[in-house]
Amino acid sequence: MTACPSALPSEFQDCSVMADYIHLRDLNAPALKKFDERALKIFQLEGGNTWIDAVSSSQDGCSKSVADNTPEMKNGWLCNHTHTIQHRDDLIMLRNHPQVAFFIRFTRNSNSRLSPSRDLFDGLMETFSINPRFQEFVMSFGLKFQEHDFAPPSLRFRNLLSASTQDHSKQGFECAYGLRYVADNGNLDGKERWSVRQFAVYQRVDPAINQSIWIFVGISKTSGPEQHVLDFLSRSSGITTRTHPFCLHLALIAASLSEWRWYIDDLTERVQSQSDRITLADVAKDKIDGRPDFNINFSDRQRLKNLEDSILNLQIMLGSTISTASSLIRHLSSLCEQPLDSTESILLNGFVETRDETNLFLTKAKILHQRVRGASSLLSGLLDYENAYSLRILAEESRQDNIAMRALTEKATKDSGAIKIITIITVFFLPATVVSSFFSTQFVSISTHDLVISSKWWIYFAVTGPLTILTLLVWYVTSSSRFHNAALYRLRKSGLIRNLIIKTPRKDPEQAEGISYPSTHSFGSSNFESQIQPSEAAHAELLGTPYSRKGVSNG
């Protein structure tokens, strides 16, 4: 690490003071204010089964694991075997080990809580002086129903210097970053084939105490990243002979990129299939022989929207990986004060290759996004055209209906004209019909020389007059809405029309508030006519359509 710049204020000339200041700033970072609130969903609850897997390497290169806190195991370690840490005291035993790797697991799946409790995690942070900003990456994990955070925080890198010396040859560092990757779940029961996953990495290299600390969050057992970690730990021995720490960073980034190519290919195939379906759709035309007869609708737009969201999330994740790789390249270069040796040159070349590969994936994703947007635009245009075509068909059908109605109207007009003529003829002959009917009765007799009218002739008019008045009265009553309402109510109350869907008052309409029927049942009463609705209400009631009458509640 280079000496502190002379341009800094005098109170920051001492690098140890500057380191304390940076640590205090990291501790009070605004991004960590939500950590306590999120911790209830991130970690296992107290009292449950909480643990952290740990693997330790000794000076002879044998990979040793932390055993349970038992007296016989405190000074001896089992090689190539992983044990769990469940208490803070187990962490204290590892403070002087040259290299320790901690694995924080998921309890069930990638959307579940992490295995340690909040107290055990805090003990890990305090025991090994982990940078507080590592909590930013841990906040991306925890209990959730759906993944929304597709971009982890940017890589955090801090140079370390021994607090007791200003010897720059004993330069150390710590870094933390997160990576997103996809896993192929296979086509199981029609579920989504791919799932987005993540893991976070923390590394602390302190040459002053010959120690290297690793923390891995969210790496599942027997996965590719964990195999790289275990292989790296088995190859590392002492701090002077161990493998360059950036080798593992390169391996982890390469492992996170291993499935992106096939995921992009799958997305491309799905986009192409959907695009072909839309492009070859037979819109508003008769089917042509040899041409597929597709039926596109709004569900196609929904599928394109889901594909577009997946591609946008892909761009975010690839951009985050590019940022992480670029930061590691920059910091690896800054750590090399002397000309790069072969190992560091190989590492830098490897990081550049991974960054270029990720850039290529990102370019593919951007092109794929443009194709999806083009297909969405075409689909929107086709749906609009299909709607316009449907409206045109409806307009044509409406025009045909209008023509038919016009023909029917003309025919009805002609029929009404004929009926009018018949009515006029009937009216013209009505007096003669009445007179002839009267003279054909027994009240009138015609002799050879004289016309004799019976003295009882008035009986004819006495019977005909009331019958005519009664006929007119019956016609008037049966055509009124009051008669319809009362008759329907009576029929329903008597149970004769139980299945008729009709909305009637819950009480007798004759007793309803605001309606009074004359005791004489005179249907021509003006008081009754003022209380009922027009005849449209009766028709609506016959059709089962609810309606309301003034002063009567609908039951």
Side-chain angles (χ1 to χ4, degrees):
M1 187 175 74
T2 58
C4 293
S6 59
L8 291 175
S10 58
E11 59 269 22
F12 293 130
Q13 289 297 316
D14 188 351
C15 286
S16 62
V17 175
M18 174 63 78
D20 292 339
Y21 170 76
I22 294 177
H23 179 75
L24 181 62
R25 188 186 65 179
D26 289 338
L27 188 63
N28 298 321
L32 301 180
K33 293 181 179 180
K34 288 286 185 178
F35 185 75
D36 292 335
E37 179 181 339
R38 282 277 304 157
L40 294 176
K41 294 183 177 181
I42 297 175
F43 302 104
Q44 282 279 71
L45 301 179
E46 294 290 344
N49 183 21
T50 62
W51 79 95
I52 298 177
D53 292 335
V55 177
S56 173
S57 295
S58 65
Q59 293 291 343
D60 58 1
C62 179
S63 178
K64 297 182 178 180
S65 302
V66 178
D68 296 332
N69 188 16
T70 54
E72 63 274 16
M73 297 301 297
K74 283 185 178 180
N75 297 319
W77 311 102
L78 296 176
C79 294
N80 299 322
H81 188 70
T82 301
H83 288 265
T84 58
I85 295 176
Q86 295 181 316
H87 306 285
R88 284 196 176 202
D89 295 339
D90 297 334
L91 296 170
I92 297 176
M93 298 187 305
L94 297 173
R95 282 190 303 184
N96 297 325
H97 273 244
Q99 182 161 255
V100 184
F102 298 96
F103 294 89
I104 298 178
R105 313 287 191 181
F106 293 112
T107 52
R108 294 190 306 275
N109 52 52
S110 57
N111 291 331
S112 61
R113 288 187 172 91
L114 297 178
S115 58
S117 63
R118 172 66 188 278
D119 180 69
L120 184 58
F121 179 79
D122 290 342
L124 176 63
M125 298 283 290
E126 295 171 5
T127 303
F128 295 95
S129 302
I130 308 300
N131 191 312
R133 300 298 288 271
F134 180 59
Q135 296 175 354
E136 293 183 54
F137 302 91
V138 179
M139 281 194 288
S140 299
F141 298 85
L143 185 63
K144 50 192 170 183
F145 297 101
Q146 189 175 3
E147 185 64 56
H148 298 288
D149 183 14
F150 293 95
S154 59
L155 182 141
R156 307 297 182 189
F157 191 93
R158 298 289 184 269
N159 289 320
L160 300 179
L161 190 66
S162 174
S164 60
T165 179
Q166 294 289 334
D167 185 3
H168 301 296
S169 62
K170 293 185 177 182
Q171 176 181 334
F173 67 91
E174 60 178 348
C175 69
Y177 57 90
L179 291 173
R180 298 295 191 273
Y181 66 101
V182 289
D184 189 354
N185 302 319
N187 296 320
L188 302 176
D189 299 331
K191 296 181 180 179
E192 179 64 29
R193 174 182 175 182
W194 302 92
S195 61
V196 176
R197 301 180 184 178
Q198 60 175 324
F199 62 87
V201 180
Y202 172 84
Q203 181 192 19
R204 179 187 178 92
V205 176
D206 192 349
I209 59 175
N210 292 336
Q211 188 179 57
S212 178
I213 302 297
W214 294 86
I215 300 177
F216 304 98
V217 182
I219 293 182
S220 60
K221 292 183 178 180
T222 69
S223 64
E226 176 156 339
Q227 295 302 318
H228 287 295
V229 172
L230 296 179
D231 181 68
F232 174 82
L233 295 177
S234 65
R235 292 172 180 272
S236 300
S237 55
I239 193 68
T240 57
T241 59
R242 71 177 49 175
T243 307
H244 199 290
F246 274 73
C247 289
L248 183 54
H249 297 308
L250 178 58
L252 292 175
I253 293 178
S256 69
L257 296 175
S258 60
E259 294 291 338
W260 284 124
R261 176 182 177 183
W262 315 117
Y263 177 64
I264 295 175
D265 286 347
D266 183 66
L267 285 178
T268 303
E269 182 180 354
R270 291 160 63 184
V271 171
Q272 184 64 46
S273 175
Q274 195 67 22
S275 178
D276 290 343
R277 172 181 170 84
I278 296 170
T279 305
L280 299 177
D282 191 5
V283 182
K285 292 182 180 180
D286 296 333
K287 181 178 178 180
I288 302 175
D289 293 338
R291 185 178 182 183
D293 186 14
F294 290 109
N295 179 26
I296 60 172
N297 48 46
F298 191 74
S299 61
D300 295 284
R301 183 66 184 90
Q302 292 176 316
R303 284 190 286 269
L304 283 177
K305 182 63 172 63
N306 293 332
L307 287 173
E308 185 176 9
D309 290 342
S310 299
I311 294 171
L312 289 175
N313 295 333
L314 171 62
Q315 293 184 41
I316 294 174
M317 292 183 286
L318 292 176
S320 173
T321 304
I322 292 173
S323 175
T324 300
S326 300
S327 297
L328 289 173
I329 292 173
R330 184 173 63 256
H331 293 302
L332 176 60
S333 301
S334 65
L335 289 175
C336 304
E337 296 181 354
Q338 303 297 327
L340 298 180
D341 58 20
S342 59
T343 301
E344 292 160 345
S345 299
I346 293 174
L347 284 175
L348 284 175
N349 183 67
F351 279 113
V352 171
E353 287 181 351
T354 56
R355 184 181 62 182
D356 293 342
E357 182 181 11
T358 311
N359 275 318
L360 178 60
F361 291 154
L362 182 59
T363 302
K364 290 182 178 181
K366 290 180 178 179
I367 295 175
L368 196 59
H369 183 224
Q370 293 178 0
R371 295 181 62 183
V372 169
R373 295 189 63 180
S376 299
S377 178
L378 176 60
L379 176 60
S380 299
L382 291 178
L383 291 177
D384 292 341
Y385 180 79
E386 189 75 9
N387 291 335
Y389 182 80
S390 300
L391 292 176
R392 188 176 68 180
I393 295 297
L394 292 176
E396 180 63 23
E397 293 177 353
S398 178
R399 190 179 71 86
Q400 296 295 335
D401 291 342
N402 291 336
I403 293 175
M405 289 299 297
R406 180 179 177 181
L408 292 174
T409 303
E410 291 177 353
K411 183 178 180 181
T413 303
K414 293 179 180 180
D415 293 342
S416 64
I419 293 174
K420 181 178 180 181
I421 295 174
I422 294 173
T423 303
I424 293 174
I425 295 174
T426 303
V427 172
F428 180 77
F429 287 102
L430 182 60
T433 303
V434 173
V435 171
S436 63
S437 298
F438 176 73
F439 280 97
S440 65
T441 62
Q442 296 297 324
F443 296 103
V444 179
S445 62
I446 302 175
S447 62
T448 306
H449 301 286
D450 199 3
L451 177 66
V452 180
I453 299 176
S454 175
S455 60
K456 302 296 183 179
W457 61 269
W458 55 269
I459 296 176
Y460 176 81
F461 295 99
V463 176
T464 303
L467 287 176
T468 301
I469 295 173
L470 180 61
T471 302
L472 294 175
L473 185 61
V474 170
W475 169 80
Y476 176 77
V477 169
T478 56
S479 63
S480 65
S481 60
R482 176 188 177 183
F483 178 82
H484 289 172
N485 296 337
L488 288 172
Y489 176 79
R490 296 299 182 185
L491 289 174
R492 186 181 182 187
K493 190 174 181 179
S494 63
L496 297 178
I497 51 172
R498 297 180 182 276
N499 296 328
L500 181 62
I501 302 176
I502 183 172
K503 198 154 189 171
T504 59
R506 295 185 182 180
K507 56 183 179 180
D508 194 327
E510 296 179 1
Q511 304 298 327
E513 182 181 355
I515 299 180
S516 60
Y517 293 164
S519 59
T520 61
H521 297 280
S522 175
F523 291 97
S525 173
S526 61
N527 181 40
F528 171 76
E529 292 293 339
S530 64
Q531 296 296 332
I532 63 175
Q533 292 290 340
S535 60
E536 286 80 357
H539 294 295
E541 192 167 9
L542 284 172
L543 296 174
T545 306
Y547 73 99
S548 60
R549 290 179 291 177
K550 183 177 180 181
V552 182
S553 63
N554 293 329

